[in-house]
Structures are given as C-alpha cells and as structure tokens.
C-alpha cells in the first residue's frame, strides 16, 4: 500500500474525486465543474459547486523512532445546487448520492493510498422557504500517515 505523507495530498485527492461529478460521467449533477477548496461563503452565481472544507486533524499515534504521525483528518464536502424551491430535499438527496459515489468509488482506501476513509454522516442545510438553491454535505474522516519532517 502506498501511503500519503502530506495532508495536502489528501485534500488534492478529495478535490480530484469530487471534480469527476458531472452528468457526462454518469452522475446526477455537475457540481464537479466548480470545486472550491476551503471557500466558506458561496455566492449564488457560483452554483452549482462543491466546497472541500478541511476540519480538525487528530493524531492517533505520534512520533516514535521515525518522525511520522498517524492522523485522522476530517473533511466536509458541501455541495450547492439550484433546486425546486418547494422541494429542495429532492436535489439534496442527489447531491449526497453523487458525493458518496465519488469519494467511495473504489472502497475506503482511496485506491490503496490511505489506510481508511470513514463516512461520518450527511446534512441538508437549511434555506429560507422559496429559495431555489439547496446545500447538502457529507462528512468523512481520512486516516493517513504524515511525515512530520516534510508536512
């Protein structure tokens, strides 16, 4: 198994996976055409899009003889899409399905690049009644070994 040695490599892999979410690739939406890494505020003209937000990392084992740490890093993948204003959850379920398919397309190891990717749950964000944009997200935790001498 190859191991990712930098947290930035994990974020790049996640962004690459969600960038494949297009109707042309067999998904329900085109959120992958606009992948934003870390942007917190979305303007309506940026929709459809998906935002990769990096959360806290939790070292599960620290340095020993080698300067490496086993890390569990949390990520929120937040998708925004136009929707029917009276039925926003219908589009939200499509977004959640697309995000799950893209992240877990080859199991839970990013094609053997990390020891594990855990699904932590999903959420459909609240919007004002009658607003034609919906927000849906999934949370994952990626476990990997980081080389602390070259983070």
């Amino acid at each position: 198994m190859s191991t990712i040695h930098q947290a930035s490599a994990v974020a790049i892999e996640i962004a690459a996976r969600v960038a494949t979410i297009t109707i042309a690739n067999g998904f329900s939406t085109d959120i992958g055409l606009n992948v934003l890494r870390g942007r917190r505020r979305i303007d309506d003209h940026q929709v459809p899009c998906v935002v990769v937000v990096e959360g806290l990392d939790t070292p599960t084992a620290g340095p020993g003889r080698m300067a490496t740490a086993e890390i569990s890093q949390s990520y929120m993948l937040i998708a925004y899409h136009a929707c029917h204003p009276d039925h926003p959850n219908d589009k939200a379920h499509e977004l959640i399905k697309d995000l799950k398919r893209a992240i877990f397309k080859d199991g839970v190891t990013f094609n053997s690049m990390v020891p594990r990717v855990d699904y932590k749950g999903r959420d459909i964000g609240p919007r004002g009644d009658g607003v034609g944009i919906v927000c849906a997200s999934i949370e994952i935790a990626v476990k990997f070994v980081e080389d602390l001498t070259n983070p």
Side-chain angles (χ1 to χ4, degrees), residues 54-120:
E54 297 182 41
L56 294 174
D57 70 350
T58 305
T60 57
R65 293 186 66 192
M66 298 178 63
T68 60
E70 294 175 13
I71 306 279
S72 178
Q73 171 81 44
S74 96
Y75 295 87
M76 288 292 296
L77 309 176
I78 307 167
Y80 297 86
H81 204 288
C83 65
H84 188 289
D86 292 332
H87 308 288
N89 285 6
D90 294 346
K91 183 57 74 176
H93 288 289
E94 290 180 7
L95 295 170
I96 291 166
K97 180 180 175 181
D98 283 353
L99 290 169
K100 288 177 181 177
R101 281 184 56 213
I103 292 299
F104 295 103
K105 68 180 179 178
D106 53 14
V108 295
T109 63
F110 282 179
N111 203 23
S112 298
M113 291 189 300
V114 297
R116 186 148 184 91
V117 179
D118 293 321
Y119 173 71
K120 296 295 189 177

Side-chain angles (χ1 to χ4, degrees), residues 15-39:
R17 284 172 180 258
V18 297
T20 66
I21 301 174
T22 64
I23 293 170
N25 286 338
F27 289 89
S28 298
T29 67
D30 278 324
I31 58 174
L33 295 176
N34 190 11
V35 178
L36 307 167
R37 294 189 311 257
R39 185 173 174 103

